Amino acid sequence: MDRIDTMRAFVTVVTEGSFTRAAERLGWSPQLVSKYVARLEARLATRLLNRSTRKVHVTEAGRRYAERARQVLDNLDEMEQGLSEDQPRGRLRISAPVSFATRHLAPLLCDFQRAHEHVSVDLQLNDRKVDIVEEGFDIALRIGHLKSSSLIARRMAPVRLVICASPDYLVRHGTPEHLSELGQHRCLHYSYMEHDIGLAQEAALSCNNGDVLVEAAIQGAGITVQPTFIVGPAIADGRLKVLLPGQAPAPMGLYAVYAHRTLLPGKISRFIDFMDGYFGDPPWWDDFEQG
């Protein structure tokens, strides 16, 4: 059996999470995919996958092999397609936060594909921190203060946070004049936020989606801390009011995160270069005035 085919079968099983879905993506039979993976494990004398009736689980050795194999296959695909730096090709798998992507990524992706028509994009939205290598992503867009890791992170834009509430809420509950007063107010808490800057420990509403919390704030449900890329329009038209602007949390960043590779595939490097500076610094969504 061809060594490249066995490698491709294994990587696709890891990416898709099952032999059946891998077979569908490759256009092969599940039996052939299983045979290729078994032959690869036999050749390496190492178990790469633990199989159950419903799902396959990648071993530590399998994760290490998959990371290296993806790089080999990416480079091979680009070589066979006659890839040059001017014409990247292939499928680009991107993970991105839900609210940011739904509001701001579509124009960027459309502009990128106009410039690079041979690159297809598979965009998956999730606010959790995905495992780029294990889940088969080329790039993950992340918002926050990134900690040290083996991954490469490139800052794409600043992300400014504001404390805000609706005028109706402030009429009913009063306007706080210091952070110490926030604990007395109704808190609309974002589940993945690293700090609460003094908001009440028992949240009136906790959610893992910023858009839901912003809409609740507009309806007068409480005070929330949100990035301006979500709340900017509501602040501009007066539905929300910025509170304690001089005491807001420190800005975070929007980062493109990717696995370290000696030879980065053109589809990844071109996308990162294209995105760098696309939104501006400061980004255009910070250009609002209180209505």
Side-chain angles (χ1 to χ4, degrees):
M1 293 182 179
D2 185 83
R3 179 171 294 188
I4 296 300
D5 284 341
T6 60
M7 186 183 299
R8 195 179 299 279
F10 171 70
V11 169
T12 307
V13 169
V14 173
T15 300
E16 298 297 328
S18 80
F19 284 89
T20 300
R21 289 198 296 271
E24 291 173 354
R25 180 169 293 280
L26 293 169
W28 301 345
S29 69
Q31 294 79 9
L32 181 59
V33 173
S34 180
K35 194 172 185 178
Y36 274 143
V37 173
R39 182 64 62 90
L40 177 62
E41 288 180 318
R43 189 176 73 241
L44 297 175
T46 303
R47 180 170 291 278
L48 303 176
L49 299 172
N50 289 318
R51 301 153 176 82
S52 66
T53 55
R54 293 187 176 182
K55 191 176 181 181
V56 296
H57 301 275
V58 187
T59 67
E60 181 60 33
R63 278 193 288 271
R64 293 198 305 269
Y65 184 86
E67 181 178 2
R68 297 287 185 88
R70 283 194 186 97
Q71 182 175 353
V72 171
L73 292 172
D74 281 344
N75 291 340
L76 180 63
D77 288 343
E78 292 181 358
M79 181 183 69
E80 291 183 346
Q81 292 165 355
L83 179 71
S84 69
E85 281 301 307
D86 295 328
Q87 278 198 325
R89 297 174 182 268
R91 184 177 65 136
L92 184 65
R93 296 197 74 228
I94 303 172
S95 171
V98 178
S99 295
F100 181 83
T102 54
R103 289 169 177 265
H104 302 293
L105 270 192
L108 180 147
L109 294 177
C110 291
D111 288 345
F112 175 75
Q113 289 191 297
R114 289 189 190 99
H116 304 289
E117 59 183 12
H118 299 297
V119 177
S120 63
V121 175
D122 179 4
L123 176 66
Q124 301 292 320
L125 305 188
N126 201 314
D127 286 336
R128 70 177 175 84
K129 186 178 179 180
V130 301
D131 187 315
I132 296 176
V133 175
E134 183 172 349
E135 298 181 50
F137 286 104
D138 296 303
I139 298 171
L141 301 182
R142 292 179 181 165
I143 294 172
H145 303 287
L146 297 193
K147 299 175 182 178
S148 299
S149 75
S150 60
L151 302 174
I152 308 300
R154 184 159 158 184
R155 183 178 177 275
M156 294 295 160
V159 175
R160 175 185 165 199
L161 296 172
V162 292
I163 308 166
C164 55
S166 70
D168 173 65
Y169 174 88
L170 298 174
V171 168
R172 289 185 288 114
H173 296 278
T175 301
E177 297 183 355
H178 193 274
L179 287 177
S180 61
E181 300 176 31
L182 293 180
Q184 306 167 22
H185 285 265
R186 292 175 60 83
C187 164
L188 310 179
H189 173 65
Y190 179 59
S191 304
Y192 295 133
M193 183 166 286
E194 299 174 356
H195 47 75
D196 292 326
I197 65 157
L199 290 174
Q201 291 184 353
E202 186 66 31
L205 172 62
S206 181
C207 182
N208 65 353
N209 180 266
D211 284 293
V212 172
L213 297 172
V214 169
E215 184 58 34
I218 291 171
Q219 297 300 319
I223 295 176
T224 190
V225 179
Q226 291 293 321
T228 54
F229 67 73
I230 300 180
V231 297
I235 293 170
D237 62 21
R239 290 176 293 160
L240 289 177
K241 182 177 180 180
V242 176
L243 307 175
L244 308 172
Q247 303 175 60
M252 300 185 296
L254 169 67
Y255 293 89
V257 180
Y258 53 98
H260 175 73
R261 293 175 176 177
T262 304
L263 296 174
L264 197 64
K267 62 183 180 182
I268 300 177
S269 61
R270 279 307 180 94
F271 181 80
I272 292 171
D273 289 342
F274 189 89
M275 189 175 183
D276 191 7
Y278 184 90
F279 299 112
D281 190 353
W284 59 264
W285 55 71
D286 276 348
D287 185 18
F288 61 83
E289 296 180 358
Q290 179 70 44

